[in-house]
């Protein structure tokens, strides 16, 4: 029941596939059943230790458990061992050992993913990259910086504080930047600054056989290029299934002179979405435009001690010069008022603004607080803007019909939204209802020319839906790319693509 | 001497490779020597005609010549036949015939490329896509449109005229939008609106075996997605070597309320570039910021009857509301003045503005007019912004030392610039000097962490430089992708990647 995104029949089939794979592995010894044993195990561990030291190879249950799960409901599948390399050469040497012994490799950043991306479904070796936490090259005049995988979004922005620059992509969690590249993350201000796809200039990667490559050539950082196949964007969003990201070169932006946030309540979802479309059409370079439905607003009010009207609501943020802000706000206010929106409630000072966005980022916890003791599952669909009102209205009806609690929050400027379904993990019947609901929601998005995942990635949960979304021919192309770059299926196996039919 | 980007030694080696390939083809009959003969030829042509009609299959020398060249100096290699399909099903059926007979396929849009991308170096079948010129889906509220390969940039913007929307990517030439996707084109306003990489939402493609795929799933058009491998950006910039683009879904933008252009002269290249960096740092959302060196300005003055001071110059354009323009201009003017820039010369009315940008877009012809009867070769390197002054100064010295005429124009906000080298095509010694110069320029860019091509692509001319830029491991990955998607090397063979060692 935990594998969301699969209908019960296909879920069982996928389990059967896994079982058959496992049996084949045991019977043919193509791969060790879980990990090696006896002398071979000793030799592997000894090789790992010679590469990253005694402290860099951990086998304890607690450490393995901690590295086998993310923030989703997907079942924790701990790896057999966790290694902690310090540099790309160590990652490469470790990968070579894994390659020689055909051991799965699962990269681990901060474990803040939402689709089971770090779950070691076939066991293997988790590469925790937390010891690689250097900011290696900051070029202020060129608006770029290079970071290792242990550097998080907040750590980078703290480092940049006095430079007048920042890295705006903000998925909410304080994720590692290389992990964000791996899952093609985005978040609240993608409407203005783009997603990781638009903001990664170069990647250093270790491939399945330990080879080190640079997707745009070693040390290169042109702001644009048309030099050959776009390897950078092939690896951005590949969720560790094609290689381990060991460095990311990112675009930076000038910090806006001023920022101001506002909250606006609407009579209906349609009014809020119409306001969004018209604001974009008017060319307002809005930095964030976040939708919260009545259930979400009520949850945020309770959790963060706020008192916004319990109706569909937009949280807005404007970036620019003082003068430009006035104009952006005035244009947007005219638009929202013409769509029945209430007067803006302001958050101009940094403290009030941070409180507002903290409330938005705490939506997850606010949702959980609606039913203490429960867990949350965040759906993640994205549709063309014009289809948002219909899909949100239909989804709210679906939730009510199926007696589910699911506040809705969305990056409405991109047509991307999440339903944070709160569920009792000990109630299999409710889990089943949630599972069916999330499938219906994804299929509703697909029927409206959208995607089953706007920013969380495919991981374990959306492999079957990805097949429906892409069609069998495009999936074959994806499988061909995977087979080329990782012929033995060692890199984060079982993610993005369903196991091949036997 | 025509194959720029190769040192004489490597150029000879590459010629030898081609010869060996040709010999192998003749001797082993793995491929027909040029095209089929006798009954086989008749059967192929008959199959083509049954798919796209008598008028849709042309063999005349003039038509073939016309389809074997672009706007570069690369030698014209005419295809053996030109076909004119009307729809994706015809493209697929034609590709299947080519696949069955192992005939090379070369897609042709408008022939405005600059690196020999349409040259039929191994003969084969040119697919002219000019009959597929429908604008298929315009979704104003969703800011997207889908076009067939015969639709050019100007045709689309003419179609959009009354919608309040536009497609801003502007490489100068009135190229086909699918061709622009194929070469990852950009141009003057990429600094604000991005390149084709950031503006293609979905592609329909025909693969080497005739399979039709949609890189983001059929009919899908979410503004963002993290659903599986980013096939869209693997095919954007693949220059027809992985598949034929038969539809492109593009992002549109709201037409700015107002636009204003200005010209500003500087004492030095450094001053012009410093102004650019500071303008970007100040967060001015500048739409175009184009650099012209003294030689280029003089050529434009002569060609377009203008009278700008003959010094390093920026052409600027601002988009936004009337009020926002005032502020953008005032901030930028403060910056340019603090760097020794002269007062802005204004082009506020559409007519004056168009005249200004026509002069910029006519730079190619202005350069040619410096030496009537000569041809031009446009180099295309891109470096981090801070390296621009040094590379431009060194390049100007190199031109003088080597007695070459090469005005410089650049999309300075991206660090991308072109040297338009004017050369007598009948003077082998001068051609050799140009060839050595362009190689030195590309290597200078590589030594400054840049790329050998910012927007023209690799084509024939930069295959060896691409190897230097990417390193052998990344090239192997590119070759692996090519082999997976086009195992028989039928799709636009000989472009991007050098022939494999025999």
């Amino acid at each position: 029941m935990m594998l969301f995104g699969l209908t019960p029949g296909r879920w069982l089939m996928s389990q059967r596939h896994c079982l058959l794979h496992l049996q084949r592995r045991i019977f043919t010894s193509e791969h060790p059943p879980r990990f090696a044993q006896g002398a071979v195990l000793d030799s592997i561990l000894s090789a790992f230790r010679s590469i990253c030291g005694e402290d860099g190879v951990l086998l304890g249950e607690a450490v393995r458990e901690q590295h086998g799960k993310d923030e989703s409901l997907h079942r924790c599948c701990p790896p057999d061992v966790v290694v902690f390399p310090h540099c790309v050469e160590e990652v490469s040497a470790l990968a070579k050992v894994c390659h020689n012994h055909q051991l799965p490799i699962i990269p681990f950043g901060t474990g803040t993913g939402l689709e089971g991306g770090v779950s070691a479904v076939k066991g293997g070796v988790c590469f925790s990259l937390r010891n690689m936490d250097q900011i290696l090259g900051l070029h202020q005049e060129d608006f770029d910086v290079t970071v290792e995988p242990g550097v998080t979004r907040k750590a980078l922005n703290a480092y940049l504080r006095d430079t007048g620059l920042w890295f705006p992509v903000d998925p909410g969690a304080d994720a590692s930047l290389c992990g964000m590249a791996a899952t093609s993350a985005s978040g609240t201000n993608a409407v203005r600054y783009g997603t990781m796809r638009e903001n990664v200039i170069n990647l250093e990667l270790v491939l399945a056989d330990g080879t080190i490559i640079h997707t745009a050539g070693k040390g290169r950082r042109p702001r644009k290029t048309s030099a050959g196949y776009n390897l950078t964007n092939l690896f951005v969003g590949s969720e560790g299934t094609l290689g381990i990201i060991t460095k990311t070169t990112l675009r930076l932006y000038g910090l806006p002179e001023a920022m101001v946030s506002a909250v606006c309540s609407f009579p209906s979802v349609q009014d809020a979405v119409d306001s969004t479309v018209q604001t974009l059409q008017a060319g307002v370079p809005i930095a964030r435009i976040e939708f919260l439905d009545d259930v979400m607003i009520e949850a945020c009010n309770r959790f963060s001690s706020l008192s916004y009207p319990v109706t569909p609501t937009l949280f807005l943020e404007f970036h620019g010069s003082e003068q430009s802000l006035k104009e952006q706000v005035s244009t947007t206010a005219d638009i929202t008022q013409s769509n029945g929106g209430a007067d803006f409630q302001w958050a101009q000072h940094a403290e009030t603004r941070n409180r507002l966005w903290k409330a938005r980022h705490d939506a997850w916890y606010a949702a959980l607080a609606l039913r203490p003791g429960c867990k949350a599952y965040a759906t993640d669909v994205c549709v063309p803007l014009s289809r948002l009102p219909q899909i949100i209205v239909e989804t709210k009806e679906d939730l009510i019909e199926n007696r589910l609690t699911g506040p809705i929050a969305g990056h409405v400027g991109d047509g991307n939204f999440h339903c944070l379904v709160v569920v009792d993990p000990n109630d299999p019947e409710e889990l089943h209802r949630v599972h069916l609901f999330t499938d219906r929601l994804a299929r509703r998005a697909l029927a409206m020319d959208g995607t089953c995942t706007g920013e969380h990635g495919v991981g374990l949960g959306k492999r079957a839906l990805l097949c429906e979304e892409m069609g069998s021919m495009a999936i074959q192309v994806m499988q061909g790319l995977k087979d080329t770059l990782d012929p033995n299926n060692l890199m984060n196996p079982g993610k993005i693509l369903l196991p091949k039919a036997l």
Side-chain angles (χ1 to χ4, degrees), chain A:
Chain A
M1 293 306 172
M2 293 300 182
L3 291 174
F4 292 100
L6 290 178
T7 60
R10 273 180 300 116
W11 182 76
L12 279 173
M13 211 157 65
S14 124
Q15 294 303 297
R16 209 149 47 225
H17 271 310
C18 291
L19 197 65
L20 285 168
H21 263 286
L22 196 67
Q23 283 171 350
R24 196 177 63 158
R25 282 164 59 203
I26 292 167
F27 293 136
T28 65
S29 290
E30 277 177 26
H31 307 279
R34 275 296 291 191
F35 200 61
Q37 291 184 333
V40 177
L41 176 60
D42 289 345
S43 122
I44 293 170
L45 293 177
S46 157
F48 285 167
R49 288 183 181 122
S50 74
I51 294 164
C52 51
E54 287 290 326
D55 297 348
V57 183
L58 298 182
L59 290 150
E61 197 177 326
V63 170
R64 294 192 297 109
E65 285 278 332
Q66 183 201 333
H67 287 82
K69 64 179 181 198
D70 58 11
E71 291 187 359
S72 73
L73 271 175
H74 294 287
R75 191 161 51 94
C76 173
C77 296
D80 296 293
V81 56
V82 187
V83 293
F84 298 83
H86 302 87
C87 60
V88 64
E89 290 77 16
E90 288 187 10
V91 174
S92 168
L94 291 164
K96 280 177 186 158
V97 175
C98 293
H99 187 248
N100 289 341
H101 293 273
Q102 297 286 291
L103 304 175
I105 293 173
I106 307 103
F108 189 99
T110 51
T112 47
L114 291 167
E115 286 298 347
V118 296
S119 184
V121 288
K122 291 178 123 190
V125 184
C126 172
F127 283 50
S128 166
L129 300 157
R130 73 175 188 204
N131 287 340
M132 295 172 65
D133 60 355
Q134 299 299 300
I135 296 172
L136 292 165
L138 167 63
H139 300 97
Q140 293 191 43
E141 284 206 330
D142 301 325
F143 302 86
D144 67 59
V145 70
T146 300
V147 296
E148 288 192 332
V151 179
T152 67
R153 175 177 76 77
K154 287 186 183 170
L156 175 61
N157 280 325
Y159 180 87
L160 294 173
R161 193 168 289 146
D162 298 326
T163 63
L165 298 172
W166 71 315
F167 182 70
V169 181
D170 173 7
D174 187 22
S176 75
L177 292 153
C178 291
M180 284 166 61
T183 50
S184 193
S186 45
T188 49
N189 48 28
V191 64
R192 169 134 174 196
Y193 300 98
T195 72
M196 291 305 282
R197 290 186 177 198
E198 289 84 28
N199 287 294
V200 174
I201 295 172
N202 201 346
L203 295 171
E204 179 186 80
L205 288 144
V206 173
L207 302 181
D209 63 358
T211 302
I212 300 169
I213 68 160
H214 299 83
T215 55
K218 189 171 182 181
R220 309 207 173 284
R221 44 196 185 82
R223 283 173 76 79
K224 70 183 197 192
T225 171
S226 55
Y229 305 138
N230 186 343
L231 299 184
T232 303
N233 272 312
L234 177 60
F235 285 94
V236 169
S238 65
E239 304 185 25
T241 65
L242 303 179
I244 308 172
I245 299 174
T246 51
K247 274 189 202 99
T248 300
T249 303
L250 297 165
R251 266 188 186 233
L252 300 176
Y253 294 78
L255 256 179
E257 180 187 320
M259 297 186 184
V260 61
S261 300
V263 177
C264 184
S265 310
F266 290 88
S268 72
V269 179
Q270 183 80 50
D271 293 320
V273 173
D274 284 351
S275 300
T276 304
V277 170
Q278 290 161 24
T279 302
L280 295 175
Q281 267 172 342
V284 176
I286 199 154
R288 309 191 205 230
I289 186 158
E290 293 285 302
F291 171 82
L292 295 90
D293 79 345
D294 50 347
V295 185
M296 189 79 255
I297 272 287
E298 189 168 19
C300 286
N301 277 347
R302 279 199 217 169
F303 187 80
S304 301
S305 306
L306 302 166
S307 54
Y308 295 119
V310 179
T311 66
T313 300
L314 291 180
F315 280 19
L316 307 144
E317 189 164 274
F318 306 91
H319 294 176
S321 64
E322 294 286 358
Q323 197 180 323
S324 131
L325 285 196
K326 275 185 206 151
E327 194 189 12
Q328 291 185 45
V329 166
S330 143
T331 308
T332 310
D334 286 350
I335 289 168
T336 53
Q337 277 165 22
S338 75
N339 288 295
D343 286 344
F344 283 179
Q345 297 198 36
W346 292 105
Q348 196 142 11
H349 298 292
E351 200 180 327
T352 344
R353 214 176 54 242
N354 288 343
R355 186 153 167 257
L356 174 71
W357 290 107
K358 188 167 183 318
R360 168 63 189 88
H361 282 330
D362 283 346
W364 176 267
Y365 304 103
L368 281 175
L370 290 173
R371 291 180 65 191
C374 285
K375 295 214 161 191
Y377 177 76
T379 69
D380 169 38
V381 299
C382 185
V383 295
L385 295 184
S386 63
R387 311 307 298 270
L388 264 178
Q390 188 189 345
I391 195 171
I392 290 177
V393 167
E394 285 179 17
T395 301
K396 289 175 73 66
E397 288 167 2
D398 191 343
L399 286 163
I400 292 166
E401 270 169 35
N402 289 283
R403 294 163 289 123
L404 292 170
T405 306
I408 288 173
H411 316 312
V412 75
D414 302 312
N416 181 207
F417 73 94
H418 311 297
C419 182
L420 308 175
V421 193
V422 189
V423 57
D424 177 354
N426 301 313
D427 181 346
E429 188 277 329
E430 188 182 0
L431 279 168
H432 185 58
R433 267 187 289 130
V434 170
H435 167 198
L436 295 176
F437 163 79
T438 56
D439 268 10
R440 278 193 304 276
L441 172 54
R443 295 216 171 83
R444 211 173 279 136
L446 295 184
M448 293 183 187
D449 300 341
T451 173
C452 71
T453 173
E455 57 181 14
H456 294 173
V458 176
L460 286 172
K462 288 187 170 162
R463 295 175 298 170
L465 287 163
L466 180 70
C467 297
E468 293 180 37
E469 175 166 337
M470 298 300 302
S472 60
M473 292 305 166
I475 289 287
Q476 274 180 37
V477 172
M478 289 190 187
Q479 185 69 57
L481 301 177
K482 168 74 173 171
D483 292 345
T484 303
L485 288 163
D486 179 23
N488 301 310
N489 192 24
L490 298 180
M491 301 304 303
N492 206 4
K495 312 298 162 56
I496 296 184
L497 297 166
L498 284 169
K500 287 189 243 187
L502 294 175

